[in-house]
Amino acid sequence: MLAAPLAPAWTVPTRTAYWTRLLPLLSVLACVTRIPSFARPLWNPDEGYLAVQARLLAQGGQLYETVVDRKPPLLPWLYEAAFAVCGPGSLTPLRVLAVLAQLLTAVLLASLARRRWGDGAGRTAGVLYLLVSVGLNPEDAQAATFEVFILPCTAAAVWCADRGRWGTAGTAVAAAFLTKQTGGAVLLPVAWLLYRQGTPRTGVPRLAAGFAVPVLGAALVTDPAGFLFWTVTGSAAYASVTGSELHVVARALTNTAILAGASAGLLPPMVRALRIARTGAVDLWLWLASSAAAVALGCHFFGHYYLQLTAPLALLATGALQVLPRERRVAAVLTSACCCAVFLAWGLLAPRPELAHAQRLAAALERRTAPADRVLVWGIHPETYWLAGRLPATRYLTAGLLTNYSGGRDGPQVGEKYAVAGAWPVFRREMSTHRPALVVDDSRGKPYAPDRLPSLRRLLTGGYEEVGTVDGAVLYARAPQE
């Protein structure tokens, strides 16, 4: 019997050698670009919100019942798991996971680019992505929050679709959606790849099943009605921009300009390539367009929303560089490296006054309450609960869910009647059941101040007295009983 012919001796070693050289480079670069994330205990209120949620879940809380937010469950569960393994006192484990998420995204993009344009393109895509991934305000780029963990899921979805693995692609889209709803935007380039490969009869059912099973599973594990309300149907008022149009436009332009500056090495070759050649990367342009739509959805334009643009930008720039002289590639990498250095310096050196305020407020809570006491921090910085090690007296961790205030909007649609449906009766009941030992009015002149909210005003005047201030935040303790 004749033996089967052996594969060429160089095939596996070459593939192994490629990744053996590239992985250490990408690993080091992923670690370097995330150094600022380890420099502070937390970066933005989203991290604080997730940390408080994780603590409540660990103590028996139920997602979408006693622990609520307008987000899917995957990241609260990840925080809860990290706290269970490493303790709830630090976000360092989540910072490490964020580094790994960025590394995985870079590897997937490198693999996509290598498959399309060769070995050099793979290296370029991975490096360019990591360099541009920190090109936003550090509180947006360095935080271990939703978009950072969306990115490897979206990259995996496109990677699987590029290889015709439709069931796995659907699961990756579901993972992105279950991290944050806007992660589902990657379904557009995935669907295009399915159409282009001409396998809809078998591919569509596999893609749909891969997506539906995890999403339905998450709904059943939590609460189907609560899952639907908090992730889909309960956010109509949140998307309104009435009365805050100029504020929203200014934020959109600012964050667009910041990312454009960070992408100074990527945008020129993309424009140049479009003028002289067609790259044929329709799926990548659809990925960029769907990510841009995700950024605009809800009309909030927070800086961290823009992270979804970085993966398709890196791939499109890599594809563009293939039709340009080699020196253009070198210039793109060097320019991106210089921009990255600027953003890293920003992250390491810039002061964070809101974090300092939350830390001083948390210290005051620790002094004035016992560890078992429930407290109410009326503001938009839930990290105060986590920093102080105190449990909230209500499931609504910020004033936003009770007033529709978000992101500095100062329009007319802020107040009790614009709250999440049914929130105030629940809030009043919780204030009776878990009467807070201390109430902190951290509104500091914002439109959700207690004097504009009858229910909160009645709470404070019906049994609390002012006992101090911290940076403009007013502390109220329970008045002694007669």
Side-chain angles (χ1 to χ4, degrees):
M1 181 181 293
L2 294 176
L6 296 175
W10 63 84
T11 303
V12 174
T14 299
R15 184 180 299 127
T16 303
Y18 178 81
W19 290 108
T20 300
R21 291 191 298 268
L22 183 57
L23 277 176
L25 171 63
L26 296 181
S27 299
V28 170
L29 194 53
C31 291
V32 169
T33 54
R34 301 295 299 181
I35 284 175
S37 71
F38 295 90
R40 288 177 171 81
L42 55 78
W43 279 94
N44 65 25
D46 281 349
E47 286 186 324
Y49 206 115
L50 287 160
V52 178
Q53 281 186 303
R55 277 184 168 174
L56 291 170
L57 290 172
Q59 296 182 12
Q62 183 179 352
L63 205 55
Y64 307 128
E65 280 293 328
T66 58
V67 181
V68 298
D69 191 16
R70 292 185 173 103
K71 299 292 191 302
L74 209 56
L75 205 52
W77 286 340
L78 182 64
Y79 268 65
E80 181 188 7
F83 283 0
V85 173
C86 303
S90 171
L91 295 185
T92 298
L94 280 307
R95 307 273 188 252
V96 173
L97 291 174
V99 173
L100 295 176
Q102 292 290 62
L103 175 59
L104 177 57
T105 305
V107 168
L108 289 167
L109 296 180
S111 180
L112 276 165
R114 186 190 185 204
R115 176 180 169 89
R116 296 182 181 211
W117 302 300
D119 289 358
R123 289 188 291 270
T124 301
V127 169
L128 286 179
Y129 167 73
L130 290 172
L131 292 175
V132 79
S133 68
V134 294
L136 289 162
N137 188 318
E139 71 179 30
D140 296 308
Q142 296 291 343
T145 52
F146 300 97
E147 285 74 16
V148 169
F149 293 99
I150 282 176
L151 286 162
C153 301
T154 56
V158 177
W159 188 93
C160 292
D162 194 50
R163 288 158 173 77
R165 301 175 185 178
W166 303 116
T168 312
T171 301
V173 175
F177 174 82
L178 289 172
T179 302
K180 189 180 176 184
Q181 297 93 320
T182 54
V186 76
L187 186 60
L188 181 59
V190 168
W192 166 259
L193 287 169
L194 175 57
Y195 167 77
R196 191 185 69 180
Q197 293 184 24
T199 57
R201 180 172 296 180
T202 58
V204 169
R206 288 157 58 195
L207 180 66
F211 176 81
V213 170
V215 173
L216 291 175
L220 292 173
V221 167
T222 54
D223 169 63
F227 176 89
L228 180 64
F229 176 81
W230 284 103
T231 62
V232 181
T233 63
S235 300
Y238 179 74
S240 172
V241 298
T242 303
S244 299
E245 294 86 351
L246 292 178
H247 182 86
V248 170
V249 170
R251 183 192 290 136
L253 293 176
T254 299
N255 286 320
T256 300
I258 292 173
L259 183 59
S263 305
L266 281 62
L267 298 179
M270 289 172 59
V271 173
R272 175 71 172 163
L274 283 174
R275 292 173 58 188
I276 65 175
R278 296 187 57 168
T279 61
V282 175
D283 56 323
L284 302 185
W285 286 107
L286 288 173
W287 189 3
L288 182 64
S290 63
S291 298
V295 172
L297 186 66
C299 299
H300 282 262
F301 296 99
F302 293 122
H304 50 89
Y305 290 9
Y306 285 73
L307 288 173
Q308 282 190 252
L309 301 173
T310 54
L313 275 176
L315 278 179
L316 283 166
T318 300
L321 289 168
Q322 305 314 301
V323 298
L324 297 175
R326 183 180 181 278
E327 56 267 22
R328 295 276 186 166
R329 185 186 311 173
V330 175
V333 172
L334 289 178
T335 303
S336 299
C338 291
C339 293
C340 178
V342 171
F343 282 95
L344 293 182
W346 183 5
L348 290 170
L349 301 177
R352 294 289 158 190
E354 286 300 321
L355 172 58
H357 168 76
Q359 289 172 320
R360 288 190 289 269
L361 204 54
L365 263 65
E366 285 187 277
R367 289 193 303 269
R368 293 181 175 275
T369 60
D373 286 339
R374 297 265 185 163
V375 299
L376 173 65
V377 179
W378 185 254
I380 56 172
H381 291 283
E383 60 266 31
T384 305
Y385 292 116
W386 179 70
L387 292 167
R390 298 295 184 265
L391 289 177
T394 175
R395 69 191 66 187
Y396 306 112
L397 303 185
T398 71
L401 295 174
L402 290 158
T403 66
N404 196 41
Y405 180 88
S406 173
R409 291 185 177 180
D410 54 2
Q413 293 192 344
V414 174
E416 287 192 31
K417 68 178 180 178
Y418 301 109
V420 171
W424 278 98
V426 173
F427 177 78
R428 288 190 286 266
R429 185 170 65 248
E430 289 177 330
M431 290 301 99
S432 175
T433 305
H434 303 301
R435 191 165 181 244
L438 194 73
V439 176
V440 179
D441 171 19
D442 195 28
S443 58
R444 292 178 282 164
K446 300 294 193 304
Y448 55 86
D451 59 4
R452 298 182 57 177
L453 304 167
S455 295
L456 187 60
R457 189 167 62 247
R458 283 194 295 270
L459 171 70
L460 293 177
T461 58
Y464 287 85
E465 59 184 15
E466 183 178 334
V467 294
T469 61
V470 177
D471 299 338
V474 184
L475 279 61
Y476 296 88
R478 285 201 297 253
Q481 298 296 320
E482 298 291 340

